[in-house]
Amino acid sequence: MTDQTPISREDRVEKLKGVGSQRKRVEDARFTQGKGNYVDDIKLPGMLFGDFVRSPYAHARIKAIHTEEALKVPGVLAVLTAADLAPLGLHWMPTLAGDKQMVLADGKVLYQGQEVAFVVATDRYAAADGIEAVEVDYEELPVVVDPFKALAPDAPVLREDLEGKMTGAHGPRKHHNHIFTWEQGDKDATEAVLAGADVVAEEMVYYHRTHPCPLEPCGCVASMDKVNGKLTLYGTFQAPHAIRTVVSLISGIEEHNIRVISPDIGGGFGNKVGAYPGYVCSVVASIVTGKPVKWVEDRMDNLMTTAFARDYWMKGKIAATKEGKITGLWCHVTADHGGFDACADPTKFPAGFFNICTGSYDIPTAYLAVDGVYTNKAPGGVAYRCSFRVTEAAYFIERMIEILAIELDMDAAELRRINFIRADQFPYHSALGWEYDSGDYHTAWDKALKAVDYEGLRREQAERVEAFKRGETRKLLGIGLTHFTEIVGAGPVKNCDILGLGMFDSCEIRIHPTGSAIARLGTISQGQGHATTFAQILATEIGLPADSITVEEGDTDTAPYGLGTYGSRSTPVAGAATAMAGRKIRAKAQMIAAYLLEVHDDDLEWDVDRFVVKGAPERFKTMKEIAFASYNQAIPGLEPGLEAVSYYDPPNMTYPFGAYICVMEIDVDTGVHEIRQFYALDDCGTRINPMIIEGQVHGGLTEALAIAMGQEIAYDELGNVKTGTLMDFFVPTAWETPHYTTDHTTTPSPHHPIGAKGVGESPNVGGVPAFSNAVHDAFRAFGLRQSHMPHDHWRIWKIANGLGLHG
């Protein structure tokens, strides 16, 4: 029996700070004191600086690049062009989508801001002067920024390297600017349902091009040690191990000779998943000069050229009975991918997980087709705080539900209710191929409607319309409803990979003799609080206080191989790996405890932070005691130490969901909106840290507000980016951000080790349609059916004007 002062079970649970505890973020201490370590903080001896000459044109042939004057600029050491990279085979690089992309412009440019030459200098000022001294002779070519026009028979050939090739990475190409066609579902059956339906609502829904715009732009520092042949690459990488593999494939350097380090990252939101020309050029420049080379883009470069998000034209048809029961869904998407297909999607899903577009609804028959198209825009297509095009899918179905409600002259809340997947239908197999793990949509929906007094809001809205018609007010009331189901946790290796790398994740745990622990993971936090929450998972699993557990990420020399952090996969995949590694630790600890207590393994039971002899709770060994014993007791059949590693390949994705309601007042004369109330109910399964969940929801909703109400990457007909600075690209401040009311239900995932589903992406997925639906709902009584985001003040004013409300 252990001799120690008795402590209650409740006190032991409190001390542990495990799953469910509102533990404060341990990361914040250094950030609030200005002690963060970002890429631009890295300073190495003899470090050089690189920057790009970028194209002012969206489509042009390069006749000549003159570098002579640039090389005369004091401090400029080298100017790299495609001609310099070509002998090394580095002038093109693979994209995550199976396409290839120019590192530096090879013969022509395909979008404004494309990288043409890389200037290497002793400091940033010399690099900037060198860029100005490089002269490029361009021959302008016809520009296409409309994906529908890009598919016209007489459209210019954009990708001349693919000319004549009618098969791409994802199958047949039907036009020289066509990338792929991806289909899911039963086309014939769906068209038959549409043909025989009582009611069919049809609409074009556009989700505009936007951008993650992280606070810290992309950057890297490449340092090649020619003596030992090792390359160290620091960078803003959301998937450091994948970047290491890509760099090895491109450069030919053995992967074990490459060390990739992701230091603190100032926001990612999908923007930092892919590989950019700056990474490749920095590595080449370091190899050539023998010195470290830093590249950090500026804000305009980031907005113009790093991976965009969305830009989906979604043509929908939804069929229903006269009573509102949905019988079929048809969708065709025209996806604008820009100059290269550089989307960060799993290989088998060239349009991401868009086939979650049936949403929360029991739709028996559905068909989806997506056509990818090249245009003269920047490439990308990242999961901007969503899981692989799920935000577009959620926006599509939630708009189609609203349009069907108009067609049926039915309350949109009731239309949703009668079509929800029932709790007893889970696991639910959707018509487009997914197996939803668990859910209770009706309970969440009823809770949300009651919380906002939905019936009272509808009465107030009707009264407001009548008052408006009488001239007593100029403000309308909109009630934006959304019930979304997300798919996250990519993913099962059987159907999810990027560049052939299965999307498992990992955790390695080492318990020290004194009872502290270190956990290393293949993920990398960009503000999600991994050091806090992963320690909580481990605390619950192995019985050591979370405060005694250190979490390390982002260094490929120390962390086990993992696929990184994006698409809300950290908790569903890496969190599961953490729990499973912890259980391996606990299983060995049980054998050690049994030996120490001189009982059989089966005679012990786990109790918070210790193993207790069944029926004799006074006989126990704490995890801290077991840890010390593992290093100093010779236990027959057991190796010394207490360590474990887990590579977790999930059996299925997870399916968090939520019910969001936005109450918005709109002044028809100015287009100015005021969000009176925003209620967000999330169900993310087991809740690891409620405080961090609330912070994630607040942040995601604010990004959703930005997207729905003003954030846009807009182009003119010549391919010029019109929103390339923060003067034009809307990033909300505290002034624009409304108050959010958060709530939850809990429906654990049956296949996840701790039942967690993930929540980081949910508020963006559900928030955008809630804000947008509120705008549409405000004008529904006056005949508005559909308008395109973003709903800035000018566009809202135009809606009112088009409906004759300014008369």
Side-chain angles (χ1 to χ4, degrees):
M1 184 176 70
T2 303
D3 182 19
Q4 63 182 44
T5 304
I7 180 173
S8 71
R9 192 175 193 277
E10 291 75 15
D11 288 342
R12 288 190 283 124
V13 170
E14 176 64 26
K15 181 180 178 182
L16 213 59
K17 297 181 182 177
V19 171
S21 171
Q22 297 203 93
R23 184 188 184 211
K24 290 184 178 180
R25 283 169 43 105
V26 300
E27 299 92 334
D28 290 347
R30 73 176 188 278
F31 293 138
T32 55
Q33 296 178 60
K35 302 296 184 182
N37 183 39
Y38 299 91
V39 169
D40 207 29
D41 292 321
I42 296 169
K43 296 176 177 61
L44 301 178
M47 188 166 66
L48 306 177
F49 297 83
D51 208 346
F52 286 106
V53 176
R54 297 182 180 273
S55 170
Y57 301 107
H59 196 201
R61 199 168 305 284
I62 296 177
K63 307 299 287 185
I65 302 175
H66 305 286
T67 63
E68 300 83 3
E69 293 303 315
L71 291 169
K72 297 177 184 177
V73 173
V76 173
L77 303 180
V79 181
L80 300 178
T81 67
D84 299 309
L85 300 182
L88 305 173
L90 297 176
H91 56 314
W92 290 73
M93 65 180 182
T95 72
L96 296 179
D99 197 0
K100 61 177 184 175
Q101 177 178 348
M102 298 176 196
V103 174
L104 293 173
D106 185 19
K108 67 184 296 190
V109 294
L110 290 170
Y111 55 92
Q112 188 182 57
Q114 184 174 344
E115 300 85 351
V116 175
F118 189 67
V119 175
V120 183
T122 53
D123 59 57
R124 282 179 172 159
Y125 302 101
D129 290 341
I131 287 170
E132 295 298 322
V134 174
E135 295 183 6
V136 185
D137 296 337
Y138 295 99
E139 176 191 332
E140 292 187 64
L141 298 172
V143 173
V144 184
V145 293
D146 183 327
F148 298 102
K149 292 180 179 178
L151 294 177
D154 59 348
V157 176
L158 301 184
R159 289 288 298 276
E160 293 175 353
D161 61 299
L162 299 178
E163 194 168 6
K165 296 180 181 179
M166 298 315 294
T167 300
H170 303 291
R173 301 173 62 224
K174 55 190 179 186
H175 184 277
H176 51 260
N177 293 328
H178 181 248
I179 308 172
F180 63 81
T181 297
W182 181 61
E183 297 178 283
Q184 295 284 302
D186 191 326
K187 182 179 181 181
D188 292 340
T190 303
E191 291 180 347
V193 168
L194 291 169
D198 293 342
V199 177
V200 176
E202 184 173 346
E203 195 56 74
M204 174 67 84
V205 179
Y206 178 51
Y207 201 133
H208 58 291
R209 176 175 285 230
T210 185
H211 193 279
C213 192
L215 183 62
E216 177 197 30
C218 295
C220 70
V221 178
S223 180
M224 183 70 190
D225 188 328
K226 291 189 175 182
V227 175
N228 59 25
K230 290 187 177 293
L231 169 69
T232 302
L233 184 62
Y234 303 85
T236 51
F237 310 131
Q238 290 184 236
H241 284 96
I243 289 293
R244 185 183 70 182
T245 299
V246 170
V247 170
S248 179
L249 291 171
I250 293 173
S251 68
I253 300 172
E254 294 283 359
E255 194 162 354
H256 67 273
N257 283 329
I258 302 172
R259 182 183 185 185
V260 175
I261 300 172
S262 291
D264 291 326
I265 297 180
F269 314 117
N271 193 229
K272 297 169 181 173
V273 175
Y276 293 115
Y279 306 159
V280 179
C281 290
S282 297
V283 170
V284 172
S286 182
I287 293 173
V288 170
T289 64
K291 296 183 178 181
V293 177
K294 177 186 284 189
W295 164 73
V296 177
E297 64 183 358
D298 65 24
R299 179 58 60 194
M300 185 174 290
D301 294 343
N302 182 260
L303 288 172
M304 288 177 61
T305 65
T306 59
F308 73 93
R310 321 304 191 233
D311 218 344
Y312 262 30
W313 291 90
M314 303 170 284
K315 181 70 173 178
K317 300 177 185 178
I318 188 166
T321 65
K322 293 177 182 178
E323 294 75 29
K325 184 63 179 174
I326 299 171
T327 55
L329 179 70
W330 179 98
C331 180
H332 179 270
V333 178
T334 301
D336 189 335
H337 284 241
F340 306 101
D341 184 7
C343 293
D345 292 325
T347 302
K348 294 180 182 178
F349 301 93
F353 298 156
F354 190 86
N355 50 326
I356 195 72
C357 64
T358 51
S360 305
Y361 309 103
D362 183 15
I363 302 177
T365 309
Y367 170 72
L368 165 69
V370 182
D371 281 308
V373 183
Y374 291 122
T375 63
N376 290 125
K377 298 178 183 176
V382 300
Y384 172 9
R385 199 153 187 166
C386 83
S387 179
F388 308 117
R389 303 291 188 168
V390 173
T391 296
E392 291 95 319
Y395 184 69
F396 167 76
I397 186 60
E398 289 304 299
R399 286 298 308 131
M400 292 305 296
I401 291 290
E402 294 286 317
I403 291 162
L404 179 60
I406 293 172
E407 202 76 31
L408 292 165
D409 192 23
M410 187 175 184
D411 179 76
E414 181 61 22
L415 178 60
R416 286 176 169 86
R417 178 185 281 106
I418 66 175
N419 284 289
F420 282 146
I421 300 164
R422 301 187 314 275
D424 62 6
Q425 289 179 275
F426 291 94
Y428 175 80
H429 293 266
S430 77
L432 292 178
W434 296 118
E435 181 186 290
Y436 294 23
D437 54 359
S438 63
D440 188 349
Y441 300 162
H442 289 88
T443 295
W445 193 237
D446 291 343
K447 186 175 184 180
L449 296 180
K450 182 178 180 181
V452 300
D453 184 17
Y454 179 70
E455 292 183 359
L457 286 173
R458 285 299 182 198
R459 288 193 296 271
E460 181 185 353
Q461 182 186 48
E463 292 167 0
R464 185 75 65 91
V465 169
E466 294 306 313
F468 181 88
K469 291 177 179 178
R470 294 193 299 268
E472 297 170 2
T473 182
R474 301 298 292 167
K475 291 186 177 181
L476 299 177
L477 185 69
I479 306 166
L481 303 175
T482 289
H483 191 291
F484 66 92
T485 295
E486 197 184 0
I487 176 173
V488 302
V493 172
K494 63 186 177 184
N495 59 15
C496 283
D497 73 277
I498 288 184
L499 283 181
L501 301 171
M503 297 182 72
F504 60 87
D505 231 295
S506 57
C507 178
E508 176 186 281
I509 304 169
R510 180 173 299 166
I511 310 296
H512 303 307
T514 53
S516 63
I518 185 167
R520 295 186 172 101
L521 295 99
T523 47
I524 177 64
S525 179
Q526 309 117 46
Q528 295 93 335
H530 290 177
T532 304
T533 55
F534 287 148
Q536 290 182 251
I537 294 173
L538 268 182
T540 294
E541 294 294 338
I542 65 176
L544 294 177
D547 291 343
S548 297
I549 301 171
T550 295
V551 174
E552 275 190 10
E553 304 173 293
D555 187 337
T556 60
D557 267 14
T558 60
Y561 202 105
L563 269 291
T565 297
Y566 45 88
S568 201
R569 63 185 305 277
S570 293
T571 295
V573 190
T578 301
M580 298 304 286
R583 291 176 189 183
K584 290 181 181 180
I585 292 282
R586 201 167 76 197
K588 185 176 180 180
Q590 183 170 356
M591 291 187 282
I592 297 171
Y595 177 81
L596 297 174
L597 291 166
E598 299 180 330
V599 297
H600 191 274
D601 297 0
D602 293 341
D603 293 329
L604 296 178
E605 60 184 1
W606 178 249
D607 183 26
V608 183
D609 61 349
R610 63 194 61 186
F611 281 102
V612 177
V613 176
K614 294 177 181 177
E618 72 281 359
R619 298 186 63 209
F620 61 84
K621 286 293 178 182
T622 66
M623 197 65 187
K624 189 170 183 178
E625 293 171 315
I626 294 167
F628 195 81
S630 72
Y631 287 90
N632 66 18
Q633 294 282 339
I635 302 174
L638 285 182
E639 296 178 351
L642 206 50
E643 301 179 4
V645 62
S646 173
Y647 288 86
Y648 183 76
D649 178 15
N652 187 11
M653 262 75 86
T654 59
Y655 297 78
F657 62 91
Y660 289 4
I661 301 175
C662 175
V663 182
M664 182 185 296
E665 292 192 346
I666 294 176
D667 187 318
V668 299
D669 294 320
T670 63
V672 173
H673 69 273
E674 179 185 349
I675 296 163
R676 197 172 82 184
Q677 182 180 8
F678 197 105
Y679 172 89
L681 179 150
D682 280 282
D683 193 314
C684 58
T686 300
R687 292 159 60 83
I688 299 169
N689 186 321
M691 186 163 54
I692 285 185
I693 289 173
E694 186 169 357
Q696 288 282 293
V697 172
H698 284 197
L701 286 175
T702 302
E703 287 182 309
L705 167 73
I707 294 169
M709 308 306 293
Q711 197 172 83
E712 178 185 25
I713 297 294
Y715 293 79
D716 66 17
E717 67 279 1
L718 296 178
N720 296 307
V721 179
K722 299 193 294 183
T723 52
T725 74
L726 295 185
M727 294 293 291
D728 305 296
F729 189 81
F730 175 44
V731 176
T733 67
W735 180 261
E736 293 91 5
T737 304
H739 173 77
Y740 304 118
T741 300
T742 59
D743 205 346
H744 69 278
T745 57
T746 302
T747 312
S749 172
H751 63 77
H752 190 277
I754 65 171
K757 293 185 175 185
V759 74
E761 321 292 4
S762 294
N764 198 322
V765 172
V768 173
F771 286 116
S772 182
N773 283 345
V775 174
H776 286 91
D777 186 68
F779 293 102
R780 176 177 170 176
F782 299 92
L784 179 67
R785 179 185 178 97
Q786 171 68 4
S787 66
H788 295 322
M789 293 189 296
H791 304 298
D792 55 37
H793 298 165
W794 167 239
R795 286 181 172 92
I796 293 177
W797 183 91
K798 287 202 297 183
I799 290 171
N801 190 55
L803 295 172
L805 302 183
H806 292 153

